[in-house]
Amino acid sequence: MRLLSEPMDNLIKVLKKLSEEYPLDQFEWDIPINCPILIPTDYNSGYLRNIFLKENFHETILNDQNLVSHYWAIQDWGGIGSFKKNDRNDRRINSFLGELKKKTLTRNTFACISSLSKVASFINPDEYAIYDSRAIYTLNWLLFNHLSSTELFPQPIGRSTDLSKYDMQTIFRLTKRQFSYKSHKVAFHQYCELLKTLTSQVFGENSKPYKVEMLLFMVAPTKIISQIESSVSLTINA
């Protein structure tokens, strides 16, 4: 395995500390009653039920030519009701599935990455994680604060009112530090590769990238917002 740089090692230490402060078994995300697969009753927590779904939903999606399960993952489980089933979005899903294999996304596809990445994460949870606005918000904050040279991930538009109070890009610009954003062509695949590396270091070998994704998602409106409020201040000189 490639040796990690010292800055990346610092990032891993921070994530390990966060994983202790916010154990993954506290992760909660409701699974709708119309779930296409049966989840055993002994999976009796939100965390366990979502893990079962992530590990057992791929065959349903892969065998679904009508994309019904794809839309279920986006609309019902993911809560993105605005991603309606129509010919345009059918084409977007099919295009995305083809682009995954090429490891490069078009701008049109990346514009819906919060929705489409949910499908990818179920198709192959070993390789792909959800590119969620909250997860990217947390990741960019950690990258900016714990890496000396910073290339960030473009953040999708989110629905969190807590996160919208503090625009991350504005905060970073006011520091006068240099930073840039990855291209839409490679951001998703590089995000997934980074999460695979981080997960193996934070949660152990053979851990799935969705573990770090869950952690990033959990801490955004709590720990990260708290850090921003305690470390960022602004003085306006009239």
Side-chain angles (χ1 to χ4, degrees):
M1 182 176 64
R2 180 177 62 85
L3 292 177
L4 297 169
S5 63
E6 183 63 30
M8 186 66 76
D9 190 53
N10 291 337
L11 175 61
I12 289 168
K13 289 178 182 178
V14 171
L15 286 169
K16 284 184 176 180
K17 185 176 180 181
L18 285 173
S19 71
E20 295 169 358
E21 188 176 350
Y22 296 86
L24 285 187
D25 59 11
Q26 296 179 0
F27 179 86
E28 288 294 338
W29 187 263
D30 292 336
I31 296 179
I33 58 174
N34 65 341
C35 181
I37 65 172
L38 180 65
I39 300 178
T41 56
D42 54 334
Y43 287 78
N44 54 11
S45 71
Y47 171 71
L48 291 176
R49 288 170 61 81
N50 276 281
I51 293 298
F52 184 89
L53 184 65
K54 286 179 179 291
E55 294 293 338
N56 294 277
F57 194 38
H58 60 279
E59 288 189 12
T60 300
I61 285 190
L62 289 172
N63 294 324
D64 183 2
Q65 300 299 315
N66 295 321
L67 305 180
V68 174
S69 58
H70 301 63
Y71 280 100
W72 180 88
I74 295 170
Q75 296 177 335
D76 297 83
W77 180 81
I80 305 180
S82 59
F83 195 91
K84 303 294 184 183
K85 180 166 177 52
N86 53 46
D87 290 343
R88 181 189 182 194
N89 284 334
D90 283 0
R91 289 193 296 270
R92 269 181 163 165
I93 292 174
N94 286 317
S95 294
F96 174 68
L97 297 178
E99 291 167 20
L100 279 180
K101 300 174 184 178
K102 299 176 183 178
K103 295 191 175 183
T104 182
L105 302 185
T106 62
R107 189 178 300 277
N108 182 58
T109 298
F110 190 76
C112 299
I113 193 61
S114 291
S115 299
L116 297 173
S117 62
K118 292 174 173 58
V119 175
S121 72
F122 284 124
I123 288 176
N124 191 344
D126 291 351
E127 290 294 322
Y128 305 120
I130 300 172
Y131 196 99
D132 179 84
S133 179
R134 277 170 57 168
I136 298 300
Y137 190 90
T138 298
L139 181 60
N140 280 344
W141 175 256
L142 297 179
L143 291 174
F144 191 82
N145 283 284
H146 299 286
L147 293 184
S148 55
S149 61
T150 310
E151 187 179 30
L152 305 176
F153 292 88
Q155 182 184 339
I157 296 174
R159 294 170 291 168
S160 171
T161 55
D162 291 324
L163 271 57
S164 65
K165 294 176 183 177
Y166 302 100
D167 179 71
M168 193 74 75
Q169 188 170 196
T170 299
I171 293 172
F172 292 160
R173 284 176 174 168
L174 288 173
T175 68
K176 304 298 178 63
R177 278 179 53 188
Q178 295 294 316
F179 67 96
S180 60
Y181 287 96
K182 295 180 182 294
S183 166
H184 66 273
K185 297 178 181 179
V186 299
F188 176 63
H189 284 87
Q190 290 188 6
Y191 165 77
C192 293
E193 288 299 318
L194 175 59
L195 261 58
K196 284 193 288 184
T197 298
L198 294 175
T199 296
S200 67
Q201 296 296 314
V202 176
F203 294 103
E205 292 291 336
N206 301 318
S207 294
K208 304 296 179 69
Y210 57 67
K211 285 197 169 183
V212 165
E213 172 227 311
M214 285 178 161
L215 179 62
L216 296 174
F217 181 88
M218 285 175 61
V219 303
T222 52
K223 185 70 172 184
I224 302 306
I225 291 298
S226 176
Q227 287 184 357
I228 291 172
E229 290 177 338
S230 63
S231 62
V232 177
S233 61
L234 176 65
T235 300
I236 299 176
N237 296 320

